[in-house]
Amino acid sequence: GENVEQHPSTLSVQEGDSAVIKCTYSDSASNYFPWYKQELGKRPQLIIDIRSNVGEKKDQRIAVTLNKTAKHFSLHITETQPEDSAVYFCAARWALGQLTFGSGTQLTVLP
Amino acid sequence: GAGVSQSPSNKVTEKGKDVELRCDPISGHTALYWYRQSLGQGLEFLIYFQGNSAPDKSGLPSDRFSAERTGGSVSTLTIQRTQQEDSAVYLCASSLAGGLAKNIQYFGAGTRLSVL
């Protein structure tokens, strides 16, 4: 099955700086890579996703890049704000639709 | 419309008891997933239902865990003879379709299970 590694496990940035979270996956057949944000005590919510036929996707301050050859993808958050503080999970879809999640990154944006 | 609904939101049980967790997916969503999230950990896949197909049970950690989905809608996750290591948040998600179609998964708020 799929294996997803996520780094770093914790990340602290100053407000206004950029944050980058990286994930690698093992199954070259994976074709869909979503990112979820989970605030404390809340449900995971999709913030951005990318398909394997696209190299980059951007939505306002959030962008995701995908390198299929290297089997890694990254989340970029620019101009970070305190409300960006949360746990972020990457995931890769394999087989019949199941998602395999990374272990999560606790992002803290310091005011 | 309403999102994915899970009940109960919290469940405290004694070791050895059976528990049932319920998930009500978004109306019209044919795919339903169960995940487990231990404290400070990622999401661990448990089971996946797609339409009338046989479910993918490959993530269930032991035969004490089972799930069913009646009428292609509501799903129940049952844990028999609960153990302390079963304590976690159990998350349900649904998507419009499964397979290789675009299938954004929408999550419920979860059931926090505590086994004493």
Side-chain angles (χ1 to χ4, degrees):
Chain A
E2 176 69 279
N3 183 48
V4 177
E5 301 279 342
Q6 183 172 347
H7 301 279
S9 56
T10 61
L11 178 60
S12 293
V13 299
Q14 289 295 137
E15 183 177 356
D17 287 351
S18 296
V20 180
I21 302 170
K22 298 181 179 181
C23 290
T24 61
Y25 60 98
S26 61
D27 190 340
S28 57
S30 292
N31 63 359
Y32 173 66
F33 307 91
W35 286 87
Y36 284 84
K37 175 183 180 182
Q38 187 176 30
E39 297 178 33
L40 189 63
K42 301 289 183 62
R43 71 190 73 191
Q45 294 199 310
L46 180 75
I47 55 171
I48 196 167
D49 57 8
I50 191 168
R51 288 180 172 275
S52 58
N53 60 350
V54 175
E56 183 175 3
K57 183 177 178 181
K58 189 173 182 180
D59 182 3
Q60 299 183 341
R61 296 186 298 108
I62 296 173
V64 57
T65 58
L66 171 65
N67 183 326
K68 284 197 306 180
T69 303
K71 289 188 283 188
H72 67 70
F73 55 114
S74 301
L75 177 71
H76 304 252
I77 306 174
T78 59
E79 301 172 21
T80 52
Q81 302 167 3
E83 53 265 37
D84 294 330
S85 295
V87 179
Y88 292 81
F89 293 98
C90 64
R93 183 177 70 189
W94 64 284
L96 297 177
Q98 301 94 319
L99 291 177
T100 298
F101 284 84
S103 54
T105 296
Q106 172 69 62
L107 174 64
T108 302
V109 180
L110 305 170
Chain B
V4 178
S5 178
Q6 291 188 245
S7 61
S9 55
N10 284 283
K11 177 71 177 178
V12 180
T13 190
E14 294 179 347
K15 178 182 173 181
K17 300 282 189 181
D18 297 352
V19 295
E20 285 189 352
L21 313 179
R22 176 187 167 107
C23 174
D24 211 331
I26 293 172
S27 178
H29 280 196
T30 63
L32 186 147
Y33 314 78
W34 282 98
Y35 296 90
R36 178 169 70 175
Q37 186 173 30
S38 300
L39 187 63
Q41 301 297 310
L43 285 76
E44 175 190 5
F45 166 74
L46 297 178
I47 189 169
Y48 161 53
F49 295 89
Q50 170 54 51
N52 296 320
S53 303
D56 177 353
K57 305 179 182 181
S58 61
L60 295 178
S62 79
D63 59 8
R64 296 186 295 104
F65 287 72
S66 63
E68 61 179 23
R69 189 179 184 192
T70 53
S73 181
V74 173
S75 176
T76 303
L77 177 69
T78 301
I79 308 174
Q80 296 178 310
R81 305 181 302 282
T82 51
Q83 304 294 312
Q84 288 183 331
E85 59 263 29
D86 299 335
S87 296
V89 176
Y90 289 81
L91 289 162
C92 174
S94 71
S95 64
L96 191 58
L100 299 180
K102 184 168 176 80
N103 63 345
I104 295 173
Q105 294 188 23
Y106 297 89
F107 282 84
T111 294
R112 181 175 299 279
L113 175 66
S114 300
V115 182
L116 303 179

PDB file of all heavy atoms in Angstrom, chain A residues 96, chain B residues 29-32 48-56 69-74 96-98:
ATOM      1  N   LEU A  96      -8.473   2.267  -4.589  1.00  0.00           N
ATOM      2  CA  LEU A  96      -9.826   2.595  -4.995  1.00  0.00           C
ATOM      3  C   LEU A  96     -10.375   3.861  -4.354  1.00  0.00           C
ATOM      4  O   LEU A  96     -11.567   4.076  -4.333  1.00  0.00           O
ATOM      5  CB  LEU A  96     -10.748   1.419  -4.686  1.00  0.00           C
ATOM      6  CG  LEU A  96     -10.423   0.135  -5.442  1.00  0.00           C
ATOM      7  CD1 LEU A  96     -11.363  -0.976  -5.008  1.00  0.00           C
ATOM      8  CD2 LEU A  96     -10.503   0.362  -6.941  1.00  0.00           C
TER       9      LEU A  96
ATOM     10  N   HIS B  29     -23.881  11.190  -1.214  1.00  0.00           N
ATOM     11  CA  HIS B  29     -22.504  10.699  -1.273  1.00  0.00           C
ATOM     12  C   HIS B  29     -22.521   9.175  -1.242  1.00  0.00           C
ATOM     13  O   HIS B  29     -23.106   8.560  -0.366  1.00  0.00           O
ATOM     14  CB  HIS B  29     -21.690  11.241  -0.098  1.00  0.00           C
ATOM     15  CG  HIS B  29     -21.218  12.638  -0.314  1.00  0.00           C
ATOM     16  ND1 HIS B  29     -20.221  13.209   0.455  1.00  0.00           N
ATOM     17  CD2 HIS B  29     -21.578  13.572  -1.219  1.00  0.00           C
ATOM     18  CE1 HIS B  29     -19.998  14.435   0.017  1.00  0.00           C
ATOM     19  NE2 HIS B  29     -20.819  14.678  -0.983  1.00  0.00           N
ATOM     20  N   THR B  30     -21.831   8.584  -2.226  1.00  0.00           N
ATOM     21  CA  THR B  30     -21.851   7.124  -2.326  1.00  0.00           C
ATOM     22  C   THR B  30     -20.693   6.461  -1.592  1.00  0.00           C
ATOM     23  O   THR B  30     -20.731   5.277  -1.312  1.00  0.00           O
ATOM     24  CB  THR B  30     -21.806   6.683  -3.797  1.00  0.00           C
ATOM     25  OG1 THR B  30     -20.559   7.119  -4.375  1.00  0.00           O
ATOM     26  CG2 THR B  30     -22.959   7.295  -4.587  1.00  0.00           C
ATOM     27  N   ALA B  31     -19.653   7.234  -1.306  1.00  0.00           N
ATOM     28  CA  ALA B  31     -18.473   6.670  -0.649  1.00  0.00           C
ATOM     29  C   ALA B  31     -18.418   7.133   0.805  1.00  0.00           C
ATOM     30  O   ALA B  31     -18.703   8.289   1.118  1.00  0.00           O
ATOM     31  CB  ALA B  31     -17.197   7.079  -1.379  1.00  0.00           C
ATOM     32  N   LEU B  32     -18.040   6.207   1.684  1.00  0.00           N
ATOM     33  CA  LEU B  32     -17.966   6.507   3.118  1.00  0.00           C
ATOM     34  C   LEU B  32     -16.718   5.856   3.684  1.00  0.00           C
ATOM     35  O   LEU B  32     -16.406   4.707   3.352  1.00  0.00           O
ATOM     36  CB  LEU B  32     -19.224   6.002   3.828  1.00  0.00           C
ATOM     37  CG  LEU B  32     -19.391   6.348   5.306  1.00  0.00           C
ATOM     38  CD1 LEU B  32     -20.862   6.535   5.649  1.00  0.00           C
ATOM     39  CD2 LEU B  32     -18.751   5.333   6.216  1.00  0.00           C
ATOM     40  N   TYR B  48     -13.631   1.315   4.144  1.00  0.00           N
ATOM     41  CA  TYR B  48     -14.146   2.145   3.052  1.00  0.00           C
ATOM     42  C   TYR B  48     -15.318   1.439   2.400  1.00  0.00           C
ATOM     43  O   TYR B  48     -15.218   0.266   2.030  1.00  0.00           O
ATOM     44  CB  TYR B  48     -13.013   2.385   2.060  1.00  0.00           C
ATOM     45  CG  TYR B  48     -13.363   2.819   0.668  1.00  0.00           C
ATOM     46  CD1 TYR B  48     -14.182   3.910   0.423  1.00  0.00           C
ATOM     47  CD2 TYR B  48     -12.809   2.150  -0.427  1.00  0.00           C
ATOM     48  CE1 TYR B  48     -14.456   4.311  -0.871  1.00  0.00           C
ATOM     49  CE2 TYR B  48     -13.081   2.545  -1.721  1.00  0.00           C
ATOM     50  CZ  TYR B  48     -13.907   3.627  -1.946  1.00  0.00           C
ATOM     51  OH  TYR B  48     -14.175   4.038  -3.236  1.00  0.00           O
ATOM     52  N   PHE B  49     -16.436   2.149   2.267  1.00  0.00           N
ATOM     53  CA  PHE B  49     -17.611   1.658   1.568  1.00  0.00           C
ATOM     54  C   PHE B  49     -17.808   2.469   0.288  1.00  0.00           C
ATOM     55  O   PHE B  49     -17.726   3.693   0.306  1.00  0.00           O
ATOM     56  CB  PHE B  49     -18.871   1.847   2.441  1.00  0.00           C
ATOM     57  CG  PHE B  49     -18.884   1.047   3.703  1.00  0.00           C
ATOM     58  CD1 PHE B  49     -18.341   1.576   4.871  1.00  0.00           C
ATOM     59  CD2 PHE B  49     -19.454  -0.216   3.749  1.00  0.00           C
ATOM     60  CE1 PHE B  49     -18.364   0.855   6.050  1.00  0.00           C
ATOM     61  CE2 PHE B  49     -19.482  -0.951   4.918  1.00  0.00           C
ATOM     62  CZ  PHE B  49     -18.936  -0.412   6.077  1.00  0.00           C
ATOM     63  N   GLN B  50     -18.081   1.775  -0.803  1.00  0.00           N
ATOM     64  CA  GLN B  50     -18.392   2.455  -2.053  1.00  0.00           C
ATOM     65  C   GLN B  50     -19.633   1.799  -2.653  1.00  0.00           C
ATOM     66  O   GLN B  50     -19.580   0.665  -3.105  1.00  0.00           O
ATOM     67  CB  GLN B  50     -17.217   2.371  -3.024  1.00  0.00           C
ATOM     68  CG  GLN B  50     -17.531   2.839  -4.443  1.00  0.00           C
ATOM     69  CD  GLN B  50     -18.118   4.233  -4.508  1.00  0.00           C
ATOM     70  OE1 GLN B  50     -17.565   5.175  -3.936  1.00  0.00           O
ATOM     71  NE2 GLN B  50     -19.246   4.383  -5.186  1.00  0.00           N
ATOM     72  N   GLY B  51     -20.716   2.548  -2.643  1.00  0.00           N
ATOM     73  CA  GLY B  51     -21.953   2.058  -3.223  1.00  0.00           C
ATOM     74  C   GLY B  51     -22.334   0.697  -2.656  1.00  0.00           C
ATOM     75  O   GLY B  51     -22.323   0.479  -1.449  1.00  0.00           O
ATOM     76  N   ASN B  52     -22.665  -0.218  -3.560  1.00  0.00           N
ATOM     77  CA  ASN B  52     -23.070  -1.557  -3.154  1.00  0.00           C
ATOM     78  C   ASN B  52     -21.927  -2.561  -3.203  1.00  0.00           C
ATOM     79  O   ASN B  52     -22.154  -3.761  -3.008  1.00  0.00           O
ATOM     80  CB  ASN B  52     -24.207  -2.047  -4.059  1.00  0.00           C
ATOM     81  CG  ASN B  52     -25.451  -1.196  -3.906  1.00  0.00           C
ATOM     82  OD1 ASN B  52     -25.794  -0.796  -2.803  1.00  0.00           O
ATOM     83  ND2 ASN B  52     -26.116  -0.902  -5.016  1.00  0.00           N
ATOM     84  N   SER B  53     -20.728  -2.072  -3.457  1.00  0.00           N
ATOM     85  CA  SER B  53     -19.577  -2.974  -3.526  1.00  0.00           C
ATOM     86  C   SER B  53     -19.195  -3.476  -2.147  1.00  0.00           C
ATOM     87  O   SER B  53     -19.531  -2.852  -1.125  1.00  0.00           O
ATOM     88  CB  SER B  53     -18.378  -2.250  -4.141  1.00  0.00           C
ATOM     89  OG  SER B  53     -18.687  -1.756  -5.418  1.00  0.00           O
ATOM     90  N   ALA B  54     -18.487  -4.594  -2.126  1.00  0.00           N
ATOM     91  CA  ALA B  54     -17.990  -5.114  -0.853  1.00  0.00           C
ATOM     92  C   ALA B  54     -17.022  -4.095  -0.257  1.00  0.00           C
ATOM     93  O   ALA B  54     -16.181  -3.527  -0.963  1.00  0.00           O
ATOM     94  CB  ALA B  54     -17.282  -6.445  -1.075  1.00  0.00           C
ATOM     95  N   PRO B  55     -17.127  -3.820   1.037  1.00  0.00           N
ATOM     96  CA  PRO B  55     -16.252  -2.809   1.636  1.00  0.00           C
ATOM     97  C   PRO B  55     -14.803  -3.259   1.688  1.00  0.00           C
ATOM     98  O   PRO B  55     -14.503  -4.454   1.736  1.00  0.00           O
ATOM     99  CB  PRO B  55     -16.824  -2.659   3.055  1.00  0.00           C
ATOM    100  CG  PRO B  55     -17.517  -3.947   3.327  1.00  0.00           C
ATOM    101  CD  PRO B  55     -18.066  -4.412   2.013  1.00  0.00           C
ATOM    102  N   ASP B  56     -13.906  -2.281   1.669  1.00  0.00           N
ATOM    103  CA  ASP B  56     -12.480  -2.539   1.858  1.00  0.00           C
ATOM    104  C   ASP B  56     -12.197  -2.463   3.354  1.00  0.00           C
ATOM    105  O   ASP B  56     -12.184  -1.383   3.925  1.00  0.00           O
ATOM    106  CB  ASP B  56     -11.655  -1.510   1.093  1.00  0.00           C
ATOM    107  CG  ASP B  56     -10.155  -1.691   1.307  1.00  0.00           C
ATOM    108  OD1 ASP B  56      -9.746  -2.529   2.154  1.00  0.00           O
ATOM    109  OD2 ASP B  56      -9.386  -0.986   0.644  1.00  0.00           O
ATOM    110  N   ARG B  69     -22.898  -0.660   6.585  1.00  0.00           N
ATOM    111  CA  ARG B  69     -23.544   0.515   6.020  1.00  0.00           C
ATOM    112  C   ARG B  69     -24.877   0.057   5.456  1.00  0.00           C
ATOM    113  O   ARG B  69     -24.928  -0.692   4.479  1.00  0.00           O
ATOM    114  CB  ARG B  69     -22.691   1.133   4.919  1.00  0.00           C
ATOM    115  CG  ARG B  69     -23.230   2.480   4.445  1.00  0.00           C
ATOM    116  CD  ARG B  69     -22.370   3.087   3.382  1.00  0.00           C
ATOM    117  NE  ARG B  69     -22.868   4.409   3.028  1.00  0.00           N
ATOM    118  CZ  ARG B  69     -22.458   5.092   1.963  1.00  0.00           C
ATOM    119  NH1 ARG B  69     -21.546   4.580   1.156  1.00  0.00           N
ATOM    120  NH2 ARG B  69     -22.956   6.290   1.710  1.00  0.00           N
ATOM    121  N   THR B  70     -25.935   0.502   6.045  1.00  0.00           N
ATOM    122  CA  THR B  70     -27.260   0.043   5.671  1.00  0.00           C
ATOM    123  C   THR B  70     -27.895   0.986   4.648  1.00  0.00           C
ATOM    124  O   THR B  70     -27.837   2.216   4.811  1.00  0.00           O
ATOM    125  CB  THR B  70     -28.171  -0.046   6.908  1.00  0.00           C
ATOM    126  OG1 THR B  70     -28.135   1.215   7.592  1.00  0.00           O
ATOM    127  CG2 THR B  70     -27.660  -1.123   7.851  1.00  0.00           C
ATOM    128  N   GLY B  71     -28.452   0.396   3.595  1.00  0.00           N
ATOM    129  CA  GLY B  71     -29.156   1.190   2.605  1.00  0.00           C
ATOM    130  C   GLY B  71     -28.288   2.193   1.888  1.00  0.00           C
ATOM    131  O   GLY B  71     -28.788   3.158   1.310  1.00  0.00           O
ATOM    132  N   GLY B  72     -26.984   1.972   1.906  1.00  0.00           N
ATOM    133  CA  GLY B  72     -26.074   2.875   1.216  1.00  0.00           C
ATOM    134  C   GLY B  72     -25.964   4.235   1.845  1.00  0.00           C
ATOM    135  O   GLY B  72     -25.449   5.175   1.222  1.00  0.00           O
ATOM    136  N   SER B  73     -26.400   4.370   3.111  1.00  0.00           N
ATOM    137  CA  SER B  73     -26.344   5.686   3.747  1.00  0.00           C
ATOM    138  C   SER B  73     -25.632   5.599   5.092  1.00  0.00           C
ATOM    139  O   SER B  73     -24.417   5.563   5.139  1.00  0.00           O
ATOM    140  CB  SER B  73     -27.755   6.254   3.897  1.00  0.00           C
ATOM    141  OG  SER B  73     -27.710   7.537   4.482  1.00  0.00           O
ATOM    142  N   VAL B  74     -26.396   5.507   6.165  1.00  0.00           N
ATOM    143  CA  VAL B  74     -25.834   5.516   7.517  1.00  0.00           C
ATOM    144  C   VAL B  74     -24.899   4.332   7.725  1.00  0.00           C
ATOM    145  O   VAL B  74     -25.150   3.216   7.257  1.00  0.00           O
ATOM    146  CB  VAL B  74     -26.968   5.481   8.555  1.00  0.00           C
ATOM    147  CG1 VAL B  74     -26.422   5.305   9.957  1.00  0.00           C
ATOM    148  CG2 VAL B  74     -27.804   6.750   8.456  1.00  0.00           C
ATOM    149  N   LEU B  96     -18.507  12.266  -2.808  1.00  0.00           N
ATOM    150  CA  LEU B  96     -19.552  12.111  -3.815  1.00  0.00           C
ATOM    151  C   LEU B  96     -19.423  10.784  -4.543  1.00  0.00           C
ATOM    152  O   LEU B  96     -20.400  10.125  -4.841  1.00  0.00           O
ATOM    153  CB  LEU B  96     -19.475  13.278  -4.799  1.00  0.00           C
ATOM    154  CG  LEU B  96     -20.639  13.449  -5.776  1.00  0.00           C
ATOM    155  CD1 LEU B  96     -21.942  13.613  -5.017  1.00  0.00           C
ATOM    156  CD2 LEU B  96     -20.393  14.642  -6.678  1.00  0.00           C
ATOM    157  N   ALA B  97     -18.171  10.393  -4.824  1.00  0.00           N
ATOM    158  CA  ALA B  97     -17.916   9.142  -5.511  1.00  0.00           C
ATOM    159  C   ALA B  97     -16.617   8.589  -5.004  1.00  0.00           C
ATOM    160  O   ALA B  97     -15.848   9.263  -4.331  1.00  0.00           O
ATOM    161  CB  ALA B  97     -17.864   9.349  -7.032  1.00  0.00           C
ATOM    162  N   GLY B  98     -16.369   7.326  -5.325  1.00  0.00           N
ATOM    163  CA  GLY B  98     -15.100   6.743  -4.945  1.00  0.00           C
ATOM    164  C   GLY B  98     -14.298   6.450  -6.183  1.00  0.00           C
ATOM    165  O   GLY B  98     -14.460   7.117  -7.203  1.00  0.00           O
TER     166      GLY B  98
END
